[in-house]
Amino acid sequence: MFEIGGKMLKSRLFVGTGKLPDYSLIERMYYEAGIEVFAVAVRRIGPNTKHTKNVLEYIPKDATIMVNTSGAQDHKEAVKIAMIGRELTNSDWVKVEIEKDTKYLFPDSFETLKACEILVKEGFKVFPYIYPDLNLAKELEQIGVEAVMPLGSPIGTNKGIGCEVLLKPIINEVKIPVIIDAGIGRPSHAAQAMEMGADAVLINTAIATSADPLKMAIAFAKAVEAGRLAFEVGILKEYEYAQASSPLEDFISG
Amino acid sequence: MVSFLKEAEKLFEEYKDYVPSHKEIAQILEKEFLTKEDLAKLLNANSKEDIMLMAKKAQKLTRENFGKVILLYAPLYIANYCQNGCVYCGFSCRKNYKREKLSFEEIENELRKMKEEGIDSVIILTGEDRINSSFEYIEKACSIATGLMSEVSIEVYPLYEEEYRRLSSIGVVGITMYQETYQREDYDKLHPFGPKKDFEFRLNAPERALKAGFHEVCVGPLLGLSEPKKDVLCAILHAEYLLEKFPKAEISISFPRFRSAGTDFIPSYTVSDKEFIKFLIIARLYLPRVGIVLSTRESPQLRDALIDVCITKMSAGSKTTVGGYAKEKDEDAEAQFEVEDRRSVSEVVDVIIKKGLRPEFTNWVKGVKSA
């Protein structure tokens, strides 16, 4: 169990719903992969139509909805989307995602900081999606966000942890949880993030666009658990050259 | 603005006879981002194997960037008055047929009927006539639409920046503006009179809309009116130009092919299915995050084959007659162009689901973008 955003959670795997082929997978992920937190893009919470149901109808009532402001272009839009999202979902968890561009979908640090300041004051549990920037992470921590969500590599690229040297200082220095978000393409990448000491990971593309999203969610859940266990035990140091397995050996073999 | 057109012209001339080898195509596809030269070369690829290889990468890029989602929308023609004499168009003022314009009550009825069909994203269309379809008329129609639909876009005559700003402030998020052809000489011949004759004013409309607060723009040529490869190259560079200038905007591209519209116009060029598919795939390869829109002008079979390759948005259950949703209309006699895919929204939805994708009717929740 770990505590985040005022909740006790068992699973450290958070899942984004935006790219899923079918929302009914959400319920199965909750029950079969143990996933408890689902990020939902407010822009897509449409009304029920003759052909499609609202995504919210598929999320089990005990699961946590993380409202996502994706598509927001500045802090004003992000705040407005968060407000609409809270109304629609009754959840005060908000992932602040303000993109700088639609080509790389990189987060806009200045606007993110401004949006977080406002949303924390408005009583939201704020989870900003950021560049792996220690200074920004510390400022956000000061403001009172619940966690920081630095990217592993650009959204949707499946490139994995492309900036370990930048992520590690954040994990080491901030006291709030660190959730690695974006770019994680394989369960082994997720395990790597957890071994590094991340508190959780958020995955969308790698699960949603796989041939079998449910099975892939289970694979990720297991990898996250394995990585976390390894981190708790302590990952052994790597050596450049072979090490004698015991100092006694010198005496015995001599 | 014209810089990208000059660049396209130069590239086209330089590579128009260059057919890349299979090996070169494979090398180009290994790259994360294609160069403009790669783009110009790929437009001349013509073997089935090469196109299939390109399709494979296009599919991967689409899934990574857009997930398993297809956005659905439908057009609503609210008026067909037009002052333009475009030689190829069913709305041309030279064509003698019944002109009409929906009352605001009729517009609401149409929208409600569309909503019953499950449509929640609409594009409002008119002909180009500032007297019979004034800006105020369009504005009021849009305001009715934003009250009923999650997402409202326009495909009307080019407006001034201030007019776009007014529409943006009432919640209109997108604009579609086909340049018809990017080749000035051909454009001039095809548009002998009327306000549409102003090539630049039309070309710059997407930019004015984005400056005024719109978030989505769809651009493209009408294939067949001029050299197709050149028009495709121009359209792709146009989309790229907008993307670079407005990095936060969502840019889409579409390549409608000319369809008979009850005129005696015979296009100078025909675009085969193979060429058409290749153009869409190349647009995806060069611009991985740009939306690709497919209309009901194309056959159901072709649309179904493309759904899971590179398409992100398509129309469904479209009526191209004024007031065609609530009233019984003769689509063959009164439409702006021939619709090939006449399947209902439900039928299109079924195909999308069978392909393992999710049909989505909401891109922007009403109100989010009218801040």
Side-chain angles (χ1 to χ4, degrees), chain B residues 77-261:
Chain B
Y77 287 80
I78 58 170
N80 60 10
Y81 288 93
C82 196
Q83 297 171 332
N84 291 317
C86 314
V87 298
Y88 55 89
C89 180
F91 276 8
S92 165
C93 69
R94 297 201 291 196
K95 207 180 153 200
N96 182 26
Y97 79 72
K98 194 181 154 200
R99 301 288 162 172
E100 56 189 324
K101 147 182 174 183
L102 299 179
S103 68
F104 296 125
E105 195 187 343
E106 285 172 322
I107 290 172
E108 190 170 335
N109 289 341
E110 289 288 305
L111 289 163
R112 289 196 187 281
K113 182 71 183 170
M114 292 169 86
K115 194 96 179 166
E116 273 174 33
E117 297 299 318
I119 294 292
D120 198 32
S121 174
V122 66
I123 297 192
I124 304 276
L125 297 97
T126 61
E128 184 155 2
D129 186 332
R130 275 195 177 262
I131 297 165
N132 288 297
S133 313
S134 66
F135 170 73
E136 288 70 24
Y137 171 69
I138 293 168
E139 187 180 36
K140 174 76 178 154
C142 288
S143 107
I144 296 168
T146 52
L148 287 165
M149 297 281 179
S150 288
E151 184 171 16
V152 178
S153 297
I154 50 163
E155 189 178 339
V156 302
Y157 50 86
L159 300 172
Y160 295 100
E161 192 176 321
E162 186 46 39
E163 292 172 327
Y164 286 127
R165 190 162 289 115
R166 274 168 64 177
L167 293 182
S168 173
S169 73
I170 59 168
V172 178
V173 293
I175 169 185
T176 294
M177 183 61 70
Y178 294 118
Q179 188 60 27
E180 316 299 11
T181 173
Y182 287 89
Q183 315 316 316
R184 275 172 202 266
E185 276 184 25
D186 288 334
Y187 186 94
D188 211 43
K189 284 181 207 151
L190 292 158
H191 305 95
F193 62 86
K196 194 168 175 179
K197 201 162 181 60
D198 191 340
F199 179 91
E200 296 272 341
F201 190 65
R202 191 172 186 85
L203 188 66
N204 291 321
E207 203 166 335
R208 290 197 297 278
L210 290 170
K211 274 187 196 158
F214 276 55
H215 290 271
E216 297 179 6
V217 156
C218 179
V219 294
L222 178 57
L223 293 182
L225 299 183
S226 187
E227 160 61 46
K229 273 183 205 162
K230 206 169 173 181
D231 266 343
V232 165
L233 186 58
C234 290
I236 292 174
L237 294 193
H238 188 189
E240 186 183 38
Y241 166 85
L242 293 170
L243 202 59
E244 283 174 359
K245 192 150 188 187
F246 302 91
K248 293 179 176 184
E250 291 187 5
I251 310 295
S252 298
I253 204 162
S254 183
F255 301 133
R257 286 191 284 183
F258 175 80
R259 292 276 168 215
S260 170

Side-chain angles (χ1 to χ4, degrees), chain B residues 2-16:
Chain B
V2 287
S3 58
F4 78 85
L5 283 182
K6 281 186 189 150
E7 200 170 12
E9 174 87 24
K10 191 167 163 267
L11 274 171
F12 180 78
E13 287 305 319
E14 199 173 337
Y15 291 100
K16 68 180 174 191

Side-chain angles (χ1 to χ4, degrees), chain A residues 49-113:
Chain A
T49 73
K50 188 175 166 185
H51 307 286
T52 52
K53 277 198 227 161
N54 187 329
V55 55
L56 301 176
E57 294 196 17
Y58 293 93
I59 300 179
K61 67 173 174 46
D62 292 331
T64 297
I65 295 173
M66 179 186 270
V67 161
N68 186 350
T69 69
S70 65
Q73 300 190 345
D74 55 36
H75 71 280
K76 286 183 191 158
E77 279 187 4
V79 169
K80 185 165 186 190
I81 293 171
M83 299 284 187
I84 293 173
R86 185 161 63 178
E87 280 290 304
L88 291 170
T89 64
N90 215 17
S91 169
D92 59 359
W93 279 36
V94 60
K95 173 182 167 184
V96 175
E97 182 175 330
I98 305 175
E99 269 102 11
K100 187 86 179 164
D101 67 277
T102 58
K103 188 173 180 184
Y104 298 99
L105 296 175
F106 282 149
D108 185 323
S109 305
F110 302 106
E111 295 294 325
T112 300
L113 195 60

Side-chain angles (χ1 to χ4, degrees), chain A residues 12 191 194-195 197-200 223-233:
Chain A
R12 293 172 183 267
M194 299 310 294
E195 286 172 3
D199 295 273
V224 166
E225 213 171 307
R228 180 66 194 180
L229 278 175
F231 171 75
E232 285 170 3
V233 172

